[in-house]
């Protein structure tokens, strides 16, 4: 059908309700700016967490009585576990070397014998580098033969996981609230433009325009508001990233491709709220 | 081609039409008359199916109020022209675009729109004012634009709800002459009016409504 006619009528809605249209675009801009900054923070924060977790390793100490052969058997078993990426075997001798490297003196000088136990250094696959999986794995390891003790930075990992959850849930809650506010604003703006244009809607109905045709300019209006607000937000996030990189922290990672999810979200919320509003208010004309 | 069969309708618990039965044949010109609040406008609204009967049925061409689907109503309305006392022109566009509006919203293409709009504007003698806005036109001219918009889709009937209600006697006569001309070209006309003068000057059939019922 007449495409330009619909677009033109969609834009006319803007002019009819200038104040509420501006308010709506500002609110879409604001909520999507928050989402964008949240994404920016997440990208950088999770990279930092990943580097830290990359270094997380479990050290499995063997019973004093275990010999080289027992250790090899255990290493093979551990390597076969689904969570495990890599296992490094540290013999008594290697443990002594490590001691010397760390403390600058040979263990024999200090104790005349080598009491250092044999151990396995276990690296986890990325998906299992969290408190829950690690706890489960440690319990399993502790039950295995020849295992004396498993050592790992339990408190730090638990802490990071807890804070990650808090940040994540808090962020998502705030974003949802912002999106709900945006929904209400768009819904209301479309309601206002529908009432501002009831004369034209009445005439459309009289001359036989289809329902779909009558609705379309309002849906386009919602889409346009969403597009404008979110594109402005994308630009602002980009500007903020540059500012931070130039003046605060040069290692900042940009959000990258996921930034376009803002546009998708803007279009979606614009369309959905307009649809709801049209479904409710067109009937009342 | 328009038939009312024992139509009774209530709006908000109030009986508005009571057992209305009549028929309008192809190309007929008829007046709908009766006191204010009798139900004239409501009868017209039944024809373009803005109101549906509670009992009985309305048949318009091949559409039946008892069977029509919501989606078909726009198609029915494209075959009916409506004209009101208050013109219902859109103030934000000029005469040409007001008339073209009826074609644009039904998906007619640009060149065809121009041809048909110019033809109906000539029909109501307003071709030379096509670029003016409704606010700069007299009442009679505005009503002629509304008539042009009503006939641009080549309807088989014009429903006119007191089209001369806001106009002086001379201008009313002018509008009546245009309606007469349209009628002579084969379009039926059903016109609601109070005006005794018009009823007497133009000797068409009268359908008289009183208190929601037809008077024999
Ligand atoms: N939407 C509505 N809600 C409530 N009552 C209505 C509605 N539409 C019409 N009516 C009532 O129906 C009756 C008939 O109204 P209608 O407009 O058909 O009369 P009319 O003959 O056209 O009158 P007029 O000559 O004043 O235009 C009136 O009593 C009116 O109050
Ligand atoms: Mg009336």
């Amino acid at each position: 059908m007449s495409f330009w006619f619909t677009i033109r009528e969609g834009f006319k809605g803007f002019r009819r309700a200038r104040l509420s249209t501006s308010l709506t675009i500002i609110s879409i801009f604001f909520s999507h700016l928050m989402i964008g900054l949240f994404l920016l923070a997440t990208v950088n924060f999770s990279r930092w967490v990943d580097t830290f977790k990359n270094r997380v390793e479990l050290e499995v100490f063997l019973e004093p009585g275990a010999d080289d052969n027992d250790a090899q058997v255990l290493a093979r078993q551990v390597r076969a576990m689904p969570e495990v990426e890599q296992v490094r075997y540290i013999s008594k001798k290697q443990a002594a070397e490590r001691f010397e490297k760390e403390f600058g003196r040979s263990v024999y000088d200090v104790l005349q014998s080598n009491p250092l136990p044999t151990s396995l250094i276990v690296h986890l696959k990325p998906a299992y580098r969290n408190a829950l999986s690690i706890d489960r794995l440690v319990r399993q390891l502790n039950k295995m033969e020849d295992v004396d003790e498993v050592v790992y930075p339990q408190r730090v990992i638990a802490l990071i996981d807890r804070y990650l959850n808090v940040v994540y849930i808090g962020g998502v809650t705030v974003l949802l609230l912002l999106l709900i506010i945006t929904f209400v604003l768009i819904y209301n703006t479309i309601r206002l433009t529908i009432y501002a244009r009831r004369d034209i809607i009445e005439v459309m109905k009289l001359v036989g325009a289809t329902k779909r045709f009558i609705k379309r300019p309002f849906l386009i209006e919602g889409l346009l508001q969403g597009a404008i607000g979110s594109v402005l937000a994308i630009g602002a996030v980009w500007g903020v990233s540059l500012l931070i990189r130039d003046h605060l922290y040069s290692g900042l990672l940009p959000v990258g491709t996921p930034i376009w999810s803002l546009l998708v979200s803007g279009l979606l919320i614009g369309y959905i709220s307009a649809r709801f509003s049209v479904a409710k208010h067109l009937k009342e004309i | 081609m328009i038939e009312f069969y024992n139509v009774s309708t209530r709006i908000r618990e109030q009986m508005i039409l009571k057992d209305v039965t009549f028929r309008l044949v192809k190309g007929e010109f008829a007046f709908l008359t009766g006191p204010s609040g009798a139900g004239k406008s409501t009868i017209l609204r039944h024809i373009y199916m803005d109101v549906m009967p509670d009992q009985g049925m309305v048949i318009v061409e091949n559409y039946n109020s008892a069977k029509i689907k919501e989606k078909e109503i726009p198609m029915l309305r494209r075959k009916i022209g409506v004209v009101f006392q208050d013109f219902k022109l859109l103030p934000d566009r000029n005469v040409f675009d007001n008339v073209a509006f009826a074609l644009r919203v039904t998906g007619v293409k640009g060149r065809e729109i121009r041809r048909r709009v110019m033809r109906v504007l000539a029909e109501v003698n307003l071709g030379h004012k096509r670029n003016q806005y409704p606010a700069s036109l007299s009442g009679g001219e505005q009503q002629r634009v509304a008539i042009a918009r009503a006939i641009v889709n080549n309807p088989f009937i014009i429903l006119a709800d007191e089209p001369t209600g806001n106009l002086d006697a001379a201008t009313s006569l002018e509008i009546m002459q245009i309606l007469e001309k349209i009628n002579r070209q084969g379009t039926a006309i059903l016109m609601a009016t109070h005006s005794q003068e018009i009823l007497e000057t133009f000797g068409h059939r009268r359908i008289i409504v009183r208190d929601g019922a037809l008077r024999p």
Side-chain angles (χ1 to χ4, degrees):
Chain A
M1 245 194 284
S2 42
F3 175 74
W4 290 114
F5 182 80
T6 303
I7 296 283
R8 205 164 49 233
E9 295 300 325
F11 268 108
K12 273 188 184 148
F14 271 32
R15 272 186 274 146
R16 296 279 177 115
R18 218 168 290 162
L19 180 67
S20 64
T21 301
S22 315
L23 268 177
T24 304
I25 291 177
I26 289 170
S27 118
I28 296 170
F29 166 75
F30 187 69
S31 56
H32 284 72
L33 177 63
M34 298 306 277
I35 301 175
L37 294 179
F38 190 67
L39 280 177
L40 186 65
T42 309
V43 164
N44 284 278
F45 194 52
S46 65
R47 181 186 54 163
W48 177 76
V49 170
D50 279 351
T51 4
F52 172 79
K53 284 189 167 179
N54 235 335
R55 290 202 292 257
V56 166
E57 48 189 33
L58 313 186
E59 188 156 18
V60 182
F61 292 101
L62 274 67
E63 305 269 10
D67 62 18
D68 240 29
N69 202 33
D70 296 332
Q72 296 290 0
V73 171
L74 185 65
R76 221 170 303 129
Q77 284 174 340
V78 173
R79 203 168 282 131
M81 298 172 97
E83 297 94 334
V84 174
E85 188 172 72
Q86 201 192 72
V87 177
R88 203 147 35 90
Y89 167 51
I90 310 256
S91 64
K92 267 178 113 69
K93 209 171 114 219
Q94 282 165 326
E97 282 162 12
R98 227 166 48 149
F99 181 93
E100 194 169 338
K101 228 199 220 153
E102 261 173 57
F103 297 101
R105 292 179 67 184
S106 161
V107 70
Y108 297 102
D109 293 347
V110 184
L111 294 169
Q112 279 83 45
S113 72
N114 180 359
L116 296 172
T118 318
S119 69
L120 300 177
I121 308 270
V122 178
H123 266 272
L124 301 179
K125 290 183 185 152
Y128 296 101
R129 290 173 193 161
N130 58 66
L132 203 72
S133 307
I134 293 177
D135 279 347
R136 194 164 348 107
L137 182 65
V138 167
R139 246 177 287 126
Q140 251 174 301
L141 288 170
N142 271 324
K143 273 190 236 145
M144 291 170 93
E145 212 173 319
D146 297 323
V147 171
D148 183 26
E149 193 189 6
V150 181
V151 174
Y152 66 102
Q154 182 182 17
R155 282 173 48 100
V156 182
I157 289 173
L159 220 63
I160 286 183
D161 271 14
R162 180 134 39 87
Y163 279 111
L164 269 184
N165 273 339
V166 168
V167 168
Y168 184 74
I169 291 171
V172 167
T173 310
V174 170
L175 292 185
L176 277 181
L177 274 175
L178 284 170
L179 285 180
I180 290 172
I181 292 171
T182 309
F183 176 92
V184 171
L185 282 167
I186 300 177
Y187 182 88
N188 197 50
T189 307
I190 301 288
R191 182 181 69 85
L192 287 176
T193 46
I194 288 175
Y195 281 100
R197 313 186 71 207
R198 28 176 209 286
D199 53 346
I200 205 177
I201 293 171
E202 189 189 355
V203 175
M204 279 191 183
K205 286 183 174 172
L206 284 174
V207 298
T210 59
K211 258 206 175 121
R212 271 182 49 190
F213 186 89
I214 296 173
K215 284 178 184 173
R216 214 173 297 156
F218 299 105
L219 300 182
I220 291 202
E221 194 187 325
L223 279 173
L224 277 173
Q225 290 173 350
I228 295 172
S230 58
V231 166
L232 289 177
I234 289 173
V237 171
W238 183 70
V240 169
S241 309
L242 283 188
L243 279 179
I244 295 179
R245 201 169 59 195
D246 292 350
H247 299 288
L248 285 174
Y249 171 52
S250 58
L252 187 84
L253 277 182
V255 180
T257 321
I259 194 78
W260 295 106
S261 62
L262 293 191
L263 180 59
V264 174
S265 150
L267 289 171
L268 267 181
I269 194 159
Y271 183 76
I272 292 171
S273 357
R275 257 206 101 98
F276 272 92
S277 191
V278 163
K280 171 95 171 63
H281 301 295
L282 219 46
K283 264 184 284 180
E284 293 164 8
I285 296 292
Chain B
M1 128 183 121
I2 288 181
E3 290 156 299
F4 276 57
Y5 288 105
N6 308 100
V7 170
S8 295
T9 304
R10 54 177 82 231
I11 299 176
R12 297 193 194 127
E13 302 305 309
Q14 200 190 334
M15 267 312 238
I16 308 292
L17 293 189
K18 297 164 198 156
D19 200 25
V20 170
T21 300
F22 72 93
R23 168 194 301 237
L24 219 66
V25 300
K26 199 166 182 306
E28 189 176 358
F29 196 139
F31 290 123
L32 201 51
T33 184
S36 187
K40 302 182 291 295
S41 300
T42 309
I43 288 179
L44 297 180
R45 287 172 69 198
H46 276 82
I47 297 173
Y48 58 92
M49 305 216 181
D50 191 32
V51 179
M52 290 296 190
D54 292 321
Q55 283 162 38
M57 63 185 176
V58 178
I59 294 175
V60 181
E61 292 269 278
N62 44 349
Y63 296 101
N64 181 330
S65 64
K67 295 182 195 149
I68 194 166
K69 297 191 190 79
E70 178 136 4
K71 277 199 163 157
E72 297 173 320
I73 292 178
M75 304 308 139
L76 162 70
R77 290 187 185 166
R78 292 175 194 187
K79 299 183 180 177
I80 297 174
V82 284
V83 177
F84 296 92
Q85 181 171 2
D86 60 357
F87 321 132
K88 296 199 195 297
L89 298 179
L90 301 171
D92 65 343
R93 58 201 78 203
N94 64 25
V95 167
F96 182 94
D97 287 328
N98 261 284
V99 178
F101 189 79
L103 298 174
R104 291 201 173 113
V105 304
T106 53
V108 179
K109 293 278 176 304
R111 181 168 306 185
E112 174 78 357
I113 288 176
R114 191 168 171 78
R115 195 178 63 74
R116 283 164 67 176
V117 173
M118 292 314 285
R119 203 196 64 212
V120 294
L121 283 179
E123 195 92 14
V124 298
N125 298 320
L126 276 178
H128 59 296
K129 298 215 168 176
R130 62 179 176 276
N131 292 324
Q132 295 199 20
Y133 281 74
S136 70
L137 300 179
S138 72
E141 288 169 334
Q142 292 189 46
Q143 192 58 293
R144 275 145 63 193
V145 176
I147 292 173
R149 181 178 67 194
I151 60 176
V152 75
N153 259 321
N154 298 318
F156 69 89
I157 189 171
I158 301 279
L159 305 175
D161 196 348
E162 305 193 36
T164 59
N166 276 343
L167 307 173
D168 61 38
T171 318
S172 297
L173 206 63
E174 212 177 277
I175 294 298
M176 284 309 295
Q177 275 156 359
I178 289 174
L179 291 177
E180 289 283 335
K181 186 170 85 177
I182 292 168
N183 179 241
R184 278 197 300 276
Q185 291 164 0
T187 308
I189 293 184
L190 182 57
M191 168 171 162
T193 185
H194 290 297
S195 164
Q196 209 53 42
E197 205 185 324
I198 285 178
L199 288 170
E200 277 159 21
T201 315
F202 300 86
H204 298 299
R205 172 184 166 200
R206 299 177 193 180
I207 300 168
I208 302 164
V209 202
R210 189 152 291 161
D211 263 341
L214 295 195
R215 230 188 49 177

